Amino acid sequence: MAEAISVTGPIAGTDKTITFETGVLAGLANGAVTSRIGDTQVLVTATASSRPRDGASFFPLTVDIEERMYAVGRIPGSFFRREGRASDDAILVCRLIDRPLRPNFPGDYRHDTHIVGTILGADHVNPYDLVALNGASAALWLSGIPFECPIAGVRIAYSTDGEWIPFATHEESDAATFEMVVAGRQLDSGDIAVMMVEAGGTEKAFEYYAEGAPKVTEDVLASGLEASKQWIDDIIELQKSLRRLVEEQSGPITVMEYTSSKDYSDEVLDRVREVAADRMREVMAIADKAEREAAQSETSNAVIDEVAAEFADLDGAKDQIREAVRSLSKEIVRERIVADGFRIDGRATDEVRPLSSVAGYLGRTAHGSGLFQRGETQVLNVTTLAMSRMEQIVDTLNPQDRRRFMHHYNFPPFSTGEAGFMRGPKRREIGHGALAERAIFPVIPSKEAFPYAIRLVSDVLTSNGSTSMGSVCASSLSLMDAGVPIVDHVAGVAMGLVYADGKYVTLTDILGAEDAFGDMDFKVAGTEDAITALQLDTKIEGIPAEVLAQALQQARQARLQILEVMRAAIAEPRPDVGETAPKITSFEIPIDKIAEVIGPRGKVINSIQEETGADINVDDDGTVGTVSIGATDREVVAEAERQIRLIVNPPTPDVGATYEGRVVNITKFGAFVNVLPGTDGLLHISKLGGRRRLNSVEEVLELGDVVSVIVEEIDPNGKISLSPADPTQVGGSEGDADGAEDDGPPRRDRDRGRDRDRGSSGNGTRRSRTPVAAAVPAGGGADASAADGDDEGGAVSAPSGTAREDVSFGEHFEQIAKDVYGDLGPELEQSGRGSGRRRGRR
């Protein structure tokens, strides 16, 4: 095995270090680096094909993140018990790495290039995304692939004290109000050019703001971008140190030769410019997207037909002409913006397109809905509320294992007027949906304040720029319509930038074409006084800090304008959730009461659900139990809550008081009657039937019967003994109540009664049977014993000349055990007086 080459550097302001190592793993890749912070480590490889991809008009860079569950010591939770498709978290990290890397390759490089990050260890302290990003840059820097210069990234979290924390841990991020990932590269001047920003507020951001933490404004963001440069510079220098060590040991790293792929020749571009410049200026001034694109296609085809004959001997002449026409279109749009200050649709650089907002567009069929339109971009968002059991279970390497707030974004082909295939969300849809979710997330109420699982779905209906920010606005409208008590409206806007002739021009609310032809894509979302999310990508070396600060302020003005239109549609959350939405309440119970609420095999909780119609969920975190109750009718929720609270804190019956109770269980020795919620007492068989001895309780009572009972006694263990308040209800008669005799028991029982009165058996032997008092715990258990025999407890003697009758309590005790412990398993059949169980009389 080869010897490792590694470098380690401190992370300023922390006690952490970052390490890059190469030379041991994945030796056949063009470049392979294991990067590490704490116990989180990622193997990143970089490989490139030896030939360019045929016909590629773009740089085919692919980034994959392989989450290995062994990295956290777990077996995957899927049916196959192995990793499957990439998780959303992994896809978002792929996009995070791709965006700052892509601009650092030569413009004519078209070889397939593959970056693979395999997560070897995740310590649940340090997130792996930045470890992977910095490792990817280091692997490319050592690979010989034409990568212009190393880049670096840092995550910084804004604490409640107003300080930026570098390489924030999961815990530090949770305790912060905002976190931001910044990636950049070194310029020749030594300054750091910001190339990518991904930022968002945390779950408790507005709780911390309410407690006095400083809010994240445009000025705070600008300070964070400036602060991040220090750590980016340190990590880039560490990568350079690693390369120097490799070259000292193995010699200089040779940059691979690659085949330059040009979309068109200079001659083709010059000829297209001569033929089409004036016509394309007219076309690119058409404001309507559909009309403009139709005219652009018609003009492009006409130019191709006209110029193609002149380049008949050129391979792929028509493709080159088509790309040259596109390049000319981009040139014209940029020239008009910088020189004249006008855009494709005639707007000024800081002008927002026409806005409209509708809350409750779908009416009562949805729990909440919002329709937002800005120019030709239209997004419909629908809110669905559910019990907490509908939270998403997450099986990834991150510590979070559940998500109660979800936002899903759909971008069908018809939104751009095209025909196509729909095969589930692509990486772009996952990324745009995550950005909108990150923007809304900080204003979502806590689970304690609003115990719902919340799902938002944004369907893009028409698209012409900034659908992700349109999704933010539609989501905010939808949430308020659903009655979700969000802190405030959140709006988003996409900004663009064009750099030409040494001049930077910032564009508000960019169109799709301006996004494609511009040099920056800059999305900002937030409330009136705080930013909740930001995403920035550039296609140039970087953006000066003062230009970025000016763009942030310009974005704020647009955001305030959008918020005003949204407030006109709905100014605050509706006072309650909708008619069709579940009404949910949640409260905590002692963990030792969970079993009582659920009951054996779910008997208690199922009974409450059947009786009330509520949906009940009981969960615990190991220290306290949580009960969630949901139903479309609040009265149903209230009744279910009342019954559960009575089980958790049952009222105590009063001795001598009369209660109406329901028979909930019948045994050989009596009936258990529920006198209060969660409280049962025993009505012994000897107290039933008046003076008539009963062979079974079923002669006078059945399950479900309602009887009036008096609490006779509550023993120190909480066991309750009952007696009938009205004997006529339970098999007695008026005569019984007054002491008069009825027709009497069956003859056999009369004979036994006479024998008992004589007090002796036929052979002169006297046997006595002492009745055992029967009671039941207040909690409804069945731990009781009773005499199985006469109703007065006197001695019983067998008639002379008959076999003696032994009485067994086995069945009685077996029934008690079953009531307490459940099924006891198969019986042991055995005869005689052995060690086996004997049942009944012999």
Side-chain angles (χ1 to χ4, degrees):
M1 185 179 294
E3 184 177 351
I5 301 173
S6 68
V7 293
T8 299
I11 297 174
T14 74
D15 57 356
K16 302 177 185 176
T17 60
I18 181 169
T19 299
F20 297 117
E21 179 184 291
T22 190
V24 177
L25 304 179
L28 293 182
N30 294 89
V33 169
T34 300
S35 57
R36 178 171 182 161
I37 295 178
D39 287 326
T40 295
Q41 53 183 331
V42 183
L43 168 65
V44 188
T45 59
T47 51
S49 61
S50 58
R51 295 170 54 87
R53 181 186 294 188
D54 292 337
S57 60
F58 60 94
F59 171 35
L61 172 66
T62 302
V63 180
D64 285 315
I65 290 293
E66 296 294 306
E67 290 184 318
R68 298 290 186 248
M69 298 308 290
Y70 59 66
V72 289
R74 291 210 309 263
I75 294 175
S78 67
F79 177 81
F80 296 103
R81 293 295 185 266
R82 69 171 298 168
E83 295 82 2
R85 65 178 294 273
S87 68
D88 285 1
D89 286 349
I91 289 172
L92 294 175
V93 175
C94 293
R95 290 172 56 86
L96 188 76
I97 296 171
D98 181 293
R99 285 155 43 205
L101 291 181
R102 190 173 288 272
N104 283 276
F105 291 87
D108 59 350
Y109 178 67
R110 297 287 190 275
H111 292 238
D112 280 287
T113 303
H114 194 194
I115 308 297
V116 179
T118 304
I119 315 303
L120 303 179
D123 60 10
H124 278 181
V125 176
N126 302 285
Y128 72 76
D129 52 357
L130 269 296
V131 180
L133 187 152
N134 290 304
S137 174
L140 283 167
W141 190 232
L142 300 180
S143 67
I145 296 171
F147 186 62
E148 293 177 354
C149 64
I151 67 163
V154 59
R155 168 180 280 102
I156 53 177
Y158 195 59
S159 72
T160 54
D161 296 327
E163 296 181 355
W164 290 103
I165 303 170
F167 286 96
T169 63
H170 290 293
E171 185 177 350
E172 288 171 334
S173 292
D174 290 341
T177 59
F178 198 84
E179 65 175 7
M180 180 163 55
V181 173
V182 186
R185 69 176 185 178
Q186 289 178 340
L187 300 176
D188 294 338
S189 63
D191 193 15
I192 298 296
V194 174
M195 303 184 67
M196 186 274 295
V197 180
E198 187 97 6
T202 61
E203 181 177 8
K204 297 183 179 179
F206 280 84
E207 291 183 27
Y208 296 144
Y209 293 156
E211 295 170 359
K215 294 182 178 179
V216 176
T217 62
E218 287 74 12
D219 292 337
V220 172
L221 272 182
S223 70
L225 294 173
E226 189 64 32
S228 68
K229 294 180 179 180
Q230 172 189 353
W231 296 291
I232 292 173
D233 188 64
D234 291 344
I235 295 172
I236 289 175
E237 289 298 328
L238 193 64
Q239 293 179 51
K240 290 181 176 180
S241 298
L242 179 65
R243 176 161 172 162
R244 283 195 295 270
L245 288 176
V246 171
E247 289 182 327
E248 288 175 5
Q249 182 169 326
S250 306
I253 295 173
T254 303
V255 178
M256 64 177 281
E257 295 183 3
Y258 67 93
T259 303
S260 176
S261 300
K262 291 188 176 181
D263 297 330
Y264 47 80
S265 66
D266 294 340
E267 291 79 12
V268 170
L269 178 61
D270 291 341
R271 183 56 182 154
V272 167
R273 185 178 284 113
E274 291 175 7
V275 172
D278 292 338
R279 281 182 278 179
M280 291 305 298
R281 284 191 178 90
E282 294 178 5
V283 168
M284 300 312 293
I286 299 174
D288 183 78
K289 178 183 178 181
E291 184 181 348
R292 181 178 65 253
E293 289 181 346
Q296 190 175 357
S297 177
E298 182 181 349
T299 302
S300 178
N301 291 333
V303 171
I304 290 172
D305 293 339
E306 184 176 343
V307 177
E310 302 178 25
F311 296 93
D313 297 334
L314 182 66
D315 290 338
K318 289 189 176 182
D319 290 336
Q320 289 197 35
I321 296 169
R322 183 176 289 106
E323 289 300 319
V325 172
R326 184 180 183 279
S327 180
L328 176 63
S329 302
K330 178 178 179 179
E331 181 181 300
I332 291 170
V333 170
R334 293 167 61 87
E335 180 184 272
R336 189 179 183 209
I337 291 172
V338 174
D340 303 329
F342 288 100
R343 301 159 67 174
I344 294 176
D345 56 359
R347 285 182 293 146
T349 56
D350 61 350
E351 187 177 348
V352 180
R353 288 173 288 175
L355 302 165
S356 65
S357 298
V358 179
Y361 182 80
L362 297 182
R364 63 188 297 273
T365 59
H367 296 169
S369 61
L371 181 65
F372 179 80
Q373 185 159 350
R374 181 178 53 234
E376 293 171 304
T377 294
Q378 184 185 67
V379 182
L380 173 67
N381 183 275
V382 181
T383 298
T384 305
L385 306 175
M387 296 281 289
S388 59
R389 68 161 62 100
M390 294 306 295
E391 294 176 359
Q392 181 183 9
I393 298 175
V394 181
D395 189 25
T396 67
L397 301 186
N398 290 325
Q400 182 188 26
D401 59 359
R402 288 180 177 271
R403 295 172 62 214
R404 63 178 284 261
F405 172 61
M406 299 156 278
H407 175 265
H408 297 140
Y409 165 100
N410 299 310
F411 190 89
F414 67 75
S415 65
T416 56
E418 298 171 320
F421 297 99
M422 299 177 67
R423 297 289 186 269
K426 303 179 181 64
R427 289 190 174 194
R428 177 186 179 278
E429 290 173 289
I430 291 172
H432 279 52
L435 174 58
E437 180 177 307
R438 188 162 57 249
I440 293 291
F441 184 56
V443 301
I444 296 295
S446 67
K447 188 173 183 178
E448 291 73 22
F450 192 72
Y452 287 78
I454 306 169
R455 182 186 185 229
L456 303 180
V457 177
S458 290
D459 284 315
V460 178
L461 305 181
T462 58
S463 171
N464 187 10
S466 190
T467 54
S468 62
M469 294 297 97
S471 298
V472 172
C473 300
S475 296
S476 187
L477 294 166
S478 179
L479 285 166
M480 283 200 175
D481 180 56
V484 180
I486 60 176
V487 175
D488 197 0
H489 264 311
V490 180
V493 63
M495 309 294 291
L497 182 139
V498 174
Y499 174 67
D501 301 327
K503 184 179 180 181
Y504 293 91
V505 179
T506 303
L507 306 177
T508 296
D509 181 23
I510 57 175
L511 302 172
E514 291 171 336
D515 185 6
F517 295 158
D519 298 317
M520 180 185 74
D521 179 14
F522 180 36
K523 300 181 176 74
V524 188
T527 63
E528 183 173 351
D529 53 1
I531 291 175
T532 58
L534 180 145
Q535 180 176 291
L536 180 149
D537 296 297
T538 66
K539 304 172 187 176
I540 54 180
E541 286 188 348
I543 303 172
E546 61 274 12
V547 174
L548 191 56
Q550 188 273 332
L552 283 168
Q553 292 300 328
Q554 189 169 320
R556 184 174 189 276
Q557 296 305 314
R559 188 170 80 249
L560 294 178
Q561 183 180 343
I562 297 169
L563 285 170
E564 184 177 349
V565 174
M566 294 170 61
R567 289 195 183 103
I570 182 169
E572 59 186 16
R574 303 200 188 280
D576 196 3
V577 296
E579 179 182 345
T580 58
K583 283 65 176 183
I584 300 176
T585 188
S586 180
F587 54 93
E588 293 182 350
I589 63 174
I591 197 167
D592 59 351
K593 291 290 185 178
I594 292 178
E596 293 184 34
V597 172
I598 295 176
R601 299 181 181 87
K603 180 178 179 181
V604 174
I605 195 171
N606 289 336
S607 174
I608 297 174
Q609 289 184 123
E610 291 174 5
E611 180 181 342
T612 64
D615 185 7
I616 305 173
N617 183 56
V618 181
D619 201 359
D620 74 272
D621 60 4
T623 58
V624 68
T626 301
V627 177
S628 298
I629 307 171
T632 55
D633 187 345
R634 286 207 179 276
E635 293 184 1
V636 169
V637 175
E639 173 59 21
E641 180 180 0
R642 184 188 71 83
Q643 293 191 25
I644 292 175
R645 289 191 181 277
L646 286 174
I647 294 173
V648 175
N649 297 298
T652 303
D654 298 324
V655 176
T658 301
Y659 296 91
E660 289 285 327
R662 185 180 299 276
V663 177
V664 294
N665 193 18
I666 293 178
T667 68
K668 294 177 68 67
F669 51 85
F672 293 104
V673 179
N674 179 240
V675 293
L676 290 172
T679 305
D680 298 345
L682 177 66
L683 187 57
H684 193 264
I685 190 171
S686 64
K687 299 172 184 176
L688 301 174
R691 295 189 176 184
R692 177 169 64 89
R693 183 184 183 281
L694 301 180
N695 290 323
S696 67
V697 175
E698 285 87 347
E699 293 182 30
V700 294
L701 288 178
E702 294 181 356
L703 283 175
D705 284 353
V706 176
V707 295
S708 294
V709 293
I710 299 173
V711 177
E712 284 191 337
E713 180 185 3
I714 302 177
D715 73 6
N717 294 322
K719 299 176 181 179
I720 303 171
S721 295
L722 306 174
S723 64
D726 182 359
T728 62
Q729 273 192 322
V730 289
S733 65
E734 293 297 336
D736 294 333
D738 297 332
E741 293 186 6
D742 59 4
D743 293 338
R747 181 178 181 85
R748 176 172 175 271
D749 290 334
R750 292 180 184 177
D751 293 339
R752 292 182 60 188
R754 286 193 295 270
D755 291 336
R756 180 189 62 202
D757 293 338
R758 285 194 296 267
S760 63
S761 61
N763 58 9
T765 304
R766 179 183 180 89
R767 269 194 317 115
S768 66
R769 295 177 59 195
T770 303
V772 182
V776 65
D783 183 13
S785 57
D788 183 13
D790 64 287
D791 43 352
E792 294 183 9
V796 179
S797 60
S800 177
T802 63
R804 188 180 68 182
E805 180 178 275
D806 291 340
V807 178
S808 171
F809 291 91
E811 291 182 5
H812 163 56
F813 289 130
E814 180 180 354
Q815 182 62 46
I816 292 176
K818 283 186 176 181
D819 290 340
V820 175
Y821 300 106
D823 188 7
L824 300 177
E827 294 182 6
L828 179 62
E829 296 295 341
Q830 195 166 336
S831 60
R833 298 180 177 268
S835 60
R837 181 186 303 161
R838 291 188 302 164
R839 301 190 57 187
R841 300 182 175 94
R842 60 176 184 177

